[in-house]
Amino acid sequence: MHIWVDADACPKVIRDILFRAAERTQTPLTMVANHSLPLPGSTLIKQLQVPKGFDVADDEIVARIQPGEILVTADIPLAAEALEKGAVVISPRGEKFDTGTIKAKLTMRDFMDTMRASGVHTGGPPTLSPADRQTFANQLDQLLR
């Protein structure tokens, strides 16, 4: 088992939950980002720093992730690619993505991109709430059992 994290946009509070879970369960964790991140001193927790560029981190994750490994990302296209490779994917809000619903999520994402491109203000995602953090922690614990 291995945990991969699309770390460029991963909230700090979620990273902290991931660090504690990796240590508690002795599960290797790799943070993939295009900038340096502060990491705890642990042999289980590593960073893979990639060059800046569109989808560079995503491409690196897809190239390395194996079936059954866990990916934490809010990036819907990356989630879809990881699912195709047999990975388990959860969002920083604790939503578990699956092959049955990812196509609908991709369609909605593309629709929202089209709306934004035409000048419609769609707003961003809501602030990460304490309930979201708890849902994420619970989902992660369930996956690591």
Side-chain angles (χ1 to χ4, degrees):
M1 171 85 54
H2 193 109
I3 304 169
W4 294 90
V5 182
D6 181 13
D8 283 322
C10 185
K12 182 183 181 320
V13 67
I14 298 302
R15 291 194 314 252
D16 292 342
I17 292 168
L18 285 160
F19 296 156
R20 287 192 303 271
E23 284 296 321
R24 185 179 72 251
T25 63
Q26 295 294 290
T27 304
L29 180 143
T30 303
M31 308 290 287
V32 183
N34 63 22
H35 61 283
S36 182
L37 297 167
L39 300 179
S42 169
T43 58
L44 291 168
I45 301 169
K46 299 187 179 354
Q47 178 178 0
L48 177 59
Q49 189 169 347
V50 298
K52 290 187 193 269
F54 186 71
D55 285 346
V56 175
D58 297 0
D59 293 343
E60 194 64 38
I61 291 168
V62 170
R64 292 175 181 248
I65 200 162
Q66 298 296 311
E69 294 182 332
I70 299 169
L71 171 62
V72 178
T73 186
D75 184 315
I76 303 298
L78 173 57
E81 287 186 82
L83 286 169
E84 284 178 18
K85 289 194 72 177
V88 177
V89 184
I90 61 171
S91 78
R93 295 179 186 278
E95 179 183 9
K96 187 175 177 187
F97 297 111
D98 63 57
T99 55
T101 59
I102 198 69
K103 286 187 191 323
K105 290 185 181 304
L106 281 166
T107 300
M108 180 56 75
R109 177 197 170 273
D110 291 345
F111 172 72
M112 296 304 280
D113 277 352
T114 302
M115 296 290 288
R116 284 188 289 275
S118 66
V120 175
H121 178 68
T122 59
T127 304
L128 198 66
S129 71
D132 292 330
R133 293 191 293 267
Q134 187 62 54
T135 300
F136 175 79
N138 291 343
Q139 184 68 254
L140 183 63
D141 280 347
Q142 187 176 17
L143 292 173
L144 291 173
R145 279 190 222 146

